[in-house]
């Protein structure tokens, strides 16, 4: 809550980010509960997950990034034979709504050739804007945690390989890999916002949510 964009969100009347904060909070809570072992068969959490996702994607189009995250959770539940009929229906509604939003937005920008800020949506223009933004020192600092986690993982692997660290109850390599994966996903989210906003991001305004 120390970021400047929070003031810009809640000081305005009715910006889409207000609804996104509520929806993303519901979605995240349900996702964490469903990812665990004990709650994945609880249909109430699947319903809450769907409500949160619909609120998010319906309020802000770039939150269609929740689609692959939701699919991953459904795949995990299916492999564990824990995907109930109700969970399948609500997840289907969730994914269908997300694809609908994606199709509408894609169709609109394909027809006009520009986004709502009148910037070109051609792949060449977006890639050029992304490369220019990455060259910014402020943008590069976002990748420091990711690079640090990579270094941490390699150090752990070396320690385990040379038997400098052993434990039967704790697998440091597994947790190090998870850390790298989390940091990688956060970096992808950050890069996606640079693409969405044509490189003119962060702005220290409400548009920085949820990328920062």
């Amino acid at each position: 809550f120390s970021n400047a964009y929070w003031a810009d969100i809640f000081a305005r009347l009715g910006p889409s980010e207000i609804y996104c904060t509520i929806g993303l909070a519901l979605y995240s809570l349900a996702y964490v509960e469903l990812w665990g072992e004990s709650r994945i068969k609880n249909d109430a959490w699947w319903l809450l997950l769907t409500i949160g996702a619909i609120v998010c994607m319906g309020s802000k189009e770039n939150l269609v990034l929740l689609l692959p995250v939701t699919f991953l959770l459904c795949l995990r539940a299916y492999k564990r034979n824990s995907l109930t009929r109700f969970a399948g229906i609500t997840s289907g509604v969730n994914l269908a709504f997300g694809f609908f939003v994606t199709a509408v937005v894609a169709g609109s920008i394909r027809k006009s050739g520009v986004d709502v800020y009148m910037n070109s949506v051609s792949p060449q223009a977006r890639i050029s804007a992304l490369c220019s933004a990455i060259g910014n020192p402020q943008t590069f600092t976002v990748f420091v945690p990711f690079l640090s986690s990579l270094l941490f993982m390699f150090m752990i692997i070396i320690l385990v390989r040379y038997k400098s660290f052993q434990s039967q109850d704790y697998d440091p390599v597994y947790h190090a890999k998870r850390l790298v994966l989390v940091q990688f996903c956060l970096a992808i989210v950050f890069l996606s916002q640079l693409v969405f906003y044509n490189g003119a991001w962060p702005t220290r305004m409400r548009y920085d949510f949820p990328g920062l």
Side-chain angles (χ1 to χ4, degrees):
F1 290 103
S2 62
N3 283 305
Y5 63 77
W6 287 112
D8 191 50
I9 291 176
F10 292 105
R12 297 173 180 267
L13 294 176
S16 60
E17 287 79 9
I18 288 182
Y19 307 104
C20 288
T21 56
I22 299 173
L24 194 58
L26 297 177
Y27 180 91
S28 301
L29 175 62
Y31 198 95
V32 170
E33 293 290 344
L34 289 170
W35 191 267
E37 296 291 336
S38 59
R39 301 292 185 89
I40 200 162
K41 291 186 177 180
N42 193 326
D43 290 338
W45 289 113
W46 286 103
L47 179 60
L48 189 65
L49 183 87
T50 300
I51 292 174
I54 290 177
V55 170
C56 287
M57 293 184 291
S59 301
K60 198 167 184 177
E61 296 85 353
N62 54 4
L63 279 169
V64 294
L65 290 173
L66 295 178
L67 281 175
V69 180
T70 303
F71 180 78
L72 180 62
L73 179 64
C74 295
L75 183 62
R76 174 181 169 86
Y78 177 78
K79 287 185 175 181
R80 293 165 56 187
N81 198 27
S82 302
L83 190 66
T84 65
R85 178 179 296 181
F86 182 82
I89 293 174
T90 54
S91 298
V93 172
N94 186 343
L95 295 172
F97 182 80
F99 283 120
F100 170 75
V101 172
T102 303
V104 170
V105 173
S108 176
I109 62 177
R110 181 179 180 181
K111 182 178 180 180
S112 63
V114 295
D115 59 17
V116 294
Y117 306 106
M118 304 306 294
N119 296 314
S120 173
V121 294
S122 67
Q124 297 85 352
R126 295 292 161 152
I127 292 174
S128 176
L130 177 62
C131 293
S132 299
I134 291 177
N136 188 326
Q138 181 182 358
T139 304
F140 181 77
T141 57
V142 176
F143 296 95
V144 172
F146 174 60
L147 298 175
S148 300
S149 61
L150 275 178
L151 179 61
F152 173 73
M153 185 187 72
F154 289 131
M155 291 175 60
I156 291 296
I157 292 175
I158 292 173
L159 288 174
V160 172
R161 182 172 182 178
Y162 288 97
K163 300 181 180 181
S164 299
F165 182 90
Q166 292 182 340
S167 175
Q168 295 180 349
D169 301 324
Y170 182 79
D171 185 356
V173 176
Y174 171 74
H175 289 283
K177 289 180 178 179
R178 291 184 65 180
L179 174 62
V180 172
L181 178 61
V182 169
Q183 295 292 353
F184 177 76
C185 291
L186 292 176
I188 292 298
V189 171
F190 186 87
L191 289 174
S192 70
Q193 302 307 296
L194 290 173
V195 174
F196 282 133
Y197 291 107
N198 199 41
W201 189 87
T203 62
R204 296 182 62 83
M205 298 174 64
R206 60 190 179 92
Y207 305 106
D208 292 351
F209 180 84
L212 290 182

